[in-house]
Amino acid sequence: IVSDPAIPGAADTCVVDVRCGVLDVPGRAWALSFEAPRPNPSSGRVQFFYTLARAGTARLGIYGADGRRIRSLLDGADVAGMHAVLWDGRDESGRRVAPGAYWARFEGGGQVMRRPLTIVR
C-alpha cells in the first residue's frame, strides 16, 4: 500500500507478481518436483516452488474446490532448475479470493501435480 503525502488519507494498492529462477548448471541433474505451498493455510500471499528436470513448458494455476480455474500464474517455456512463483491471493480480475479450499495445479515434464491450499481471513 502506497500513499501520497500531498493528499492526506489517500492510499493505493500496488500488485506485483514475482517469478525467480535458477539457470541450468552444467553437470547438475535436476529432478522434477512441485512442493507444498507456503504458507498453508494462508491469509494472502502464497509461494510455490517447483523444479524442472529439463527445459520445457511449465504451467501453474489456482483452482477452486469445484474445479474452476481461479488464476493462471505461469504458462510458457522455462529453463531446467529450481523456481519460485508468488501468488498474491487474487483471481484473474484482481479481486481477493474468498476464504476456502483451493488447488494449485502444476504441469511440467509431461506430468501433472496438485497441491491443496487453504485461504483463511
Side-chain angles (χ1 to χ4, degrees), residues 42-54:
S42 174
S43 61
R45 292 190 171 132
V46 180
Q47 197 162 25
F48 300 94
F49 298 92
Y50 67 94
T51 303
L52 289 176
R54 289 180 288 290

Side-chain angles (χ1 to χ4, degrees), residues 24 28-33 51-56 79-83 108-109:
D24 194 10
R28 171 75 190 240
W30 300 102
L32 180 67
S33 69
T51 303
L52 289 176
R54 289 180 288 290
V79 297
M82 299 179 298
H83 304 273

Side-chain angles (χ1 to χ4, degrees), residues 13-19 45 71 85-90:
T13 302
C14 299
V15 177
V16 177
D17 288 329
V18 176
R19 194 176 131 219
R45 292 190 171 132
R71 176 98 179 257
V85 176
L86 181 65
W87 177 45
D88 60 5
R90 297 178 184 274

Side-chain angles (χ1 to χ4, degrees), residues 107-120:
E107 292 180 56
Q111 294 186 33
V112 175
M113 295 175 247
R114 293 173 185 86
R115 299 287 181 255
L117 171 63
T118 303
I119 299 295
V120 296

Side-chain angles (χ1 to χ4, degrees), residues 66-91:
D66 60 0
R68 180 176 53 95
R69 188 177 77 197
I70 304 298
R71 176 98 179 257
S72 176
L73 301 176
L74 174 67
D75 188 1
D78 216 340
V79 297
M82 299 179 298
H83 304 273
V85 176
L86 181 65
W87 177 45
D88 60 5
R90 297 178 184 274
D91 64 15

